[in-house]
Amino acid sequence: MGKWCRVKCSCSNRRPLPGSDISNYSDYLKSIKKPRLAKTEQEWKEKVRSVFECGHRSGNAVEFWPGDIISLGQALEIAFRSTPQEFGIFRRIADPENYDDELLKKSSDESAAWLLETQILNEFIRGETYLGWHPKIVLDREIEQYGFLYGNLDDVISSVEMLCRASLTNGTSIEFLL
Ligand SMILES: [Zn+2]
């Protein structure tokens, strides 16, 4: 679950480069008037396809597959079932009910709150903040069962921090797409 997440950049020249909207290489070749000036497929993938004038691919400061973040949110939902106030942002992102037309937007104000949540989660995992023994045991068990596809729990938390910081820096939302 979870197809993509992104934070749009706020660069003043956030405009697609001419021809960057062409999504396959053969169409790109057809669009080039002087074939000898055409880029190789590799160059086209790196420097033309989806590239914006500001240099951000698709105009996004950050974008990646958020499946591991959603798995973590589901684990927190199970671990803290009886205390709905804990880790509310993680849990809302993991619940498709909260998506509107397969999209969930978190404003940059919420990014500050989410950063705080990741800090508390870090402390909880390390045993520096006590939020109950039972949730800790359940969370450890759930995380063990899921296994993350890209790295470990620290990597997942870092990826959340990266989203939040990009959102705060650019003043743009974090968007999740189902
Ligand atoms: Zn940009």
Side-chain angles (χ1 to χ4, degrees):
M1 196 184 102
K3 273 193 195 128
W4 211 238
C5 69
R6 68 180 174 216
V7 174
K8 289 177 183 161
C9 71
S10 55
C11 306
S12 57
N13 56 345
R14 187 183 182 279
R15 284 182 289 269
L17 281 174
S20 64
D21 57 328
I22 296 173
S23 58
N24 79 61
Y25 187 62
S26 61
D27 289 345
Y28 161 74
L29 288 179
K30 280 180 220 155
S31 75
I32 300 291
K33 291 188 186 90
K34 294 181 181 163
R36 63 184 176 85
L37 296 180
K39 293 186 172 7
T40 64
E41 185 162 6
Q42 187 65 26
E43 278 179 325
W44 168 75
K45 276 184 187 165
E46 285 168 7
K47 294 176 184 158
V48 180
R49 188 180 58 175
S50 306
V51 174
F52 274 47
E53 212 177 295
C54 59
H56 284 118
R57 187 161 294 273
S58 308
N60 295 321
V62 179
E63 57 175 344
F64 57 86
W65 175 79
D68 286 337
I69 295 176
I70 286 166
S71 295
L72 177 56
Q74 288 167 341
L76 286 166
E77 175 65 33
I78 294 166
F80 288 95
R81 195 149 273 163
S82 57
T83 44
Q85 74 278 13
E86 303 290 358
F87 305 111
I89 298 177
F90 272 102
R91 293 162 71 176
R92 280 198 292 282
I93 288 163
D95 183 355
E97 293 275 307
N98 296 315
Y99 285 66
D100 192 7
D101 241 357
E102 311 210 319
L103 175 72
L104 182 70
K105 276 190 178 192
K106 297 262 141 219
S107 69
S108 53
D109 287 347
E110 287 173 289
S111 301
W114 201 14
L115 258 188
L116 202 65
E117 259 186 31
T118 59
Q119 197 184 326
I120 295 166
L121 179 57
N122 253 325
E123 291 168 5
F124 175 62
I125 291 161
R126 288 172 216 292
E128 293 158 8
T129 291
Y130 178 77
L131 299 170
W133 290 118
H134 185 66
K136 179 83 169 75
I137 292 164
V138 175
L139 183 66
D140 289 347
R141 187 195 65 206
E142 289 298 316
I143 286 172
E144 174 115 10
Q145 276 176 8
Y146 280 122
F148 294 116
L149 279 182
Y150 293 111
N152 56 29
L153 183 56
D154 283 341
D155 297 321
V156 182
I157 291 176
S158 299
S159 72
V160 173
E161 290 169 343
M162 187 166 70
L163 283 176
C164 293
R165 294 212 174 93
S167 160
L168 289 168
T169 306
N170 288 282
T172 49
S173 310
I174 304 175
E175 297 177 20
F176 285 85
L177 296 97
L178 283 186

